Amino acid sequence: MPEPHATRRQFLVVASAAALLAVPWPTLAMPDAMKAAIRDVVKGAVVRVGKVKFDVPPLVENGNTVPVTVSVTSPMTDADHVVSIHIFNEKNPQPNVGNFYVGPRAGRGQVATRIRLADTQTLTAIAKLSDGSFWSATADVVVTLAACTEEAS
Amino acid sequence: MASALINVPATAKHGDIVEIKTLMSHIMETGFRHTETGAVVPRNIITDFSCRYNGVEVFRAELFPAFSANPFLAFFTVATESGTLEFRWAGDNGFS
């Protein structure tokens, strides 16, 4: 038998879901630690999807060394350049991977490195441009052998 | 003693964008691993890297335990003038 509160409850559920969907950026599925780490970087600014290209192999056999490349579309002039690039992960013990500070002297808004991944997960790269805007890209990685699990001898 | 590998084009035309690749030998111990007896292996990582071009900082990175052992970094810079590139790695236990 339907309770009188049911419709009100349903309305609240729908309303809160709509409020969450109104968030301009898909932070919904992220763990809290990752959200907090991203908040420390963007400081409440809106993060938009685009401009950033995140190259990660989709299937990784060894999580101890995963080559990643982040490149940002930017003319890299004094007036319009990439200020910093940040990489975050979902499932490592720590949400930060690295912060890279580039500038107009870089000539190209790109950085490449090798990282550890503890599990199959989604990585996020965020770039800050000189006009204060933030852009992001995500990449899904399947990891068959995880890093950080083996015992040290 | 740690050793580093750095790969930069020997010559470049004025205004060329050159890629700089660096590789540093370092264990990058995460601090999240345990020994067989359950003791935590203390963290020992490089936390900061910077590259100066004739004294001007052109690239800087903050590293976290998620970096692989022997951290590799590749980035770009504009060859503005002849000069020296200065690289600096710094980390736990006074590593530098």
Side-chain angles (χ1 to χ4, degrees):
Chain A
M1 189 178 134
E3 289 179 33
H5 298 298
T7 49
R8 183 169 172 269
R9 194 176 299 144
Q10 279 165 0
F11 169 75
L12 286 174
V13 167
V14 170
S16 56
L20 284 173
L21 286 175
V23 173
W25 192 54
T27 54
L28 293 174
M30 286 180 189
D32 289 341
M34 187 179 178
K35 276 188 218 169
I38 291 175
R39 212 178 305 124
D40 282 348
V41 168
V42 302
K43 307 233 174 1
V46 177
V47 180
R48 282 170 284 182
V49 175
K51 290 204 181 185
V52 180
K53 191 161 163 278
F54 200 177
D55 278 328
V56 186
L59 177 71
V60 177
E61 269 187 31
N62 184 352
N64 278 311
T65 47
V66 183
V68 299
T69 304
V70 181
S71 38
V72 186
T73 316
S74 166
M76 295 307 277
T77 58
D78 280 340
D80 183 2
H81 59 263
V82 180
V83 175
S84 59
I85 295 171
H86 310 266
I87 304 178
F88 302 96
N89 74 83
E90 282 182 334
K91 291 184 182 167
N92 285 11
Q94 233 181 347
N96 297 84
V97 175
N99 301 327
F100 310 97
Y101 300 90
V102 289
R105 286 285 299 270
R108 198 176 296 176
Q110 182 176 331
V111 59
T113 184
R114 293 177 198 148
I115 66 172
R116 290 185 175 121
L117 292 175
D119 205 346
T120 295
Q121 55 184 301
T122 305
L123 301 172
T124 301
I126 295 181
K128 182 185 184 183
L129 302 190
S130 52
D131 62 1
S133 64
F134 288 91
W135 298 83
S136 77
T138 56
D140 298 315
V141 198
V142 176
V143 180
T144 49
L145 171 68
C148 324
T149 51
E150 79 276 34
E151 284 184 336
S153 48
Chain B
M1 179 58 205
S3 66
L5 261 180
I6 297 166
N7 188 341
V8 187
T11 56
K13 284 204 284 282
H14 177 80
D16 274 1
I17 296 171
V18 294
E19 183 174 27
I20 301 171
K21 296 179 184 168
T22 67
L23 189 66
M24 185 67 185
S25 87
H26 195 283
I27 181 171
M28 293 297 275
E29 183 59 59
T30 60
F32 297 112
R33 296 200 305 160
H34 298 263
T35 60
E36 283 162 4
T37 54
V40 175
V41 182
R43 192 184 88 160
N44 178 19
I45 65 166
I46 295 173
T47 51
D48 290 283
F49 168 80
S50 68
C51 172
R52 287 164 171 275
Y53 190 153
N54 277 352
V56 181
E57 187 178 274
V58 291
F59 180 82
R60 182 164 66 86
E62 288 166 11
L63 285 66
F64 290 86
F67 265 77
S68 297
N70 306 326
F72 165 81
L73 278 166
F75 52 95
F76 294 85
T77 192
V78 179
T80 49
E81 61 208 331
S82 298
T84 50
L85 285 160
E86 203 179 298
F87 301 88
R88 187 173 164 274
W89 288 262
D92 296 339
N93 306 334
F95 182 88
S96 104

